[in-house]
Amino acid sequence: MTGRLAGRAAIVTGGSRGLGRAIAAALAAEGAAVAVAGRTEQVWDERLPGTIGETVAGIESAGGRAVAVRADLTDPDDISRLVDSARDALGPITILVNNAAFTAPGRPPAPGGAPRAKPAAKAGGAKPGWPGFVSIPLAAYRRHFEIAVFAAYELMQRVCPDMIDAGGGAVVNISSVASRLPGDGPFPDRGGGVLPGYGGSKAALEHLTQCAAYDLADHNVAVNALSPSKPIMTPGLAYYAREFGHTADVDEFARAAVELALVDPGAVTGRTIGHLQVLDGSFRPFEPE
């Protein structure tokens, strides 16, 4: 397949559904060979449809090239195997999209295993009905960082040598406005709620984006974070059954991810950018004539 990304290989995490599926398809439509990574090989919750195999099948039916790699990003061995499998199948990795995040309750069972039991442990001293983080166990808070930050860190470490050897590459870290909520207090209106684990992990991912971009500035590798400018009703977000007045389209967001995979690292790197800014070009630095 020809396209602006022809000859390049990409890894997209969290590729079973939602943003990850759309980004994988958009990269493939531009000619990239894509390793679609995720845990879901069979649908385990009807509210969370989609599998990595279905994502790959959709890409192949459109004439693209892709491979499914099951990987649990909380397992260092799986992270290593993911990169090795993607490289063996597709060649050096010069695009990495860190999309996976812990957004919905529960996790799919291991292949051939029984469904996972929901943890019964409570936060120390917490009682039912206590507010926010007081009632969230540390293990649940930590899980967000294991997937969205620690796995992204290790994946970047493992694929950046490919990018450096190839003379360039791109890392796109998927973030969220949750990284900036609830903002500064006091808080007279607290009806919306916050997500300390999800938002905190995204804030850490944005800072990691800046640090990685700084260190890779001499190697023609762009590292940027892409955030939805409006809510996008993915299956993960819809799991919470919340309604939003103005939403964006998942394919629109995916097109923005493609554009960030193509930016000039000398001009755009270390940035957290809303996807509508990418699509209208307003994120690019001013260049005098």
Side-chain angles (χ1 to χ4, degrees):
M1 178 178 286
T2 60
R4 293 180 294 169
L5 296 173
R8 299 180 63 180
I11 292 175
V12 178
T13 65
S16 302
R17 64 186 71 87
L19 298 182
R21 171 176 285 196
I23 292 169
L27 292 172
E30 286 286 358
V34 184
V36 179
R39 296 186 307 254
T40 307
E41 293 180 296
Q42 295 182 338
V43 175
W44 61 284
D45 187 322
E46 63 182 11
R47 292 173 293 179
L48 297 172
T51 68
I52 52 177
E54 290 172 358
T55 300
V56 168
I59 290 171
E60 291 179 338
S61 68
R65 182 183 177 200
V67 60
V69 183
R70 187 189 188 281
D72 181 343
L73 298 185
T74 66
D75 184 340
D77 290 338
D78 268 20
I79 293 174
S80 175
R81 182 179 54 78
L82 163 59
V83 175
D84 289 344
S85 297
R87 187 182 289 125
D88 290 345
L90 307 177
I93 307 302
T94 59
I95 301 170
L96 170 64
V97 180
N98 285 310
N99 167 71
F102 184 54
T103 56
R107 305 175 67 218
R116 300 178 188 271
K118 294 185 177 180
K122 300 291 183 181
K127 297 179 181 179
W130 279 28
F133 86 96
V134 179
S135 61
I136 298 173
L138 177 60
Y141 185 75
R142 180 182 290 117
R143 178 76 64 184
H144 293 86
F145 286 80
E146 289 176 342
I147 296 172
V149 185
F150 304 155
Y153 185 96
E154 187 166 3
L155 283 168
M156 284 193 283
Q157 283 189 324
R158 290 183 176 276
V159 303
C160 280
D162 284 6
M163 299 182 187
I164 292 169
D165 288 344
V171 177
V172 181
N173 293 323
I174 305 304
S175 192
S176 167
V177 69
S179 69
R180 296 172 287 285
L181 297 177
D184 297 332
F187 307 106
D189 179 6
R190 298 189 302 279
V194 293
L195 300 170
Y198 182 74
S201 68
K202 293 301 187 181
L205 183 63
E206 290 176 8
H207 185 259
L208 175 59
T209 296
Q210 293 178 321
C211 293
Y214 182 91
D215 282 340
L216 292 166
D218 292 335
H219 298 286
N220 199 40
V221 176
V223 187
N224 291 291
L226 180 64
S227 181
S229 301
K230 299 178 181 179
I232 299 174
M233 290 304 294
T234 62
L237 184 58
Y239 196 104
Y240 294 100
R242 294 181 180 177
E243 295 183 0
F244 298 89
H246 299 283
T247 61
D249 181 73
V250 64
D251 293 325
E252 176 183 270
F253 185 86
R255 292 198 303 272
V258 169
E259 295 305 319
L260 278 190
L262 287 159
V263 295
D264 175 4
V268 181
T269 194
R271 303 270 298 277
T272 296
I273 311 170
H275 83 277
L276 293 180
Q277 290 177 284
V278 174
L279 294 179
D280 68 18
S282 63
F283 75 102
R284 296 183 183 276
F286 175 72
E287 297 179 1
E289 296 181 0

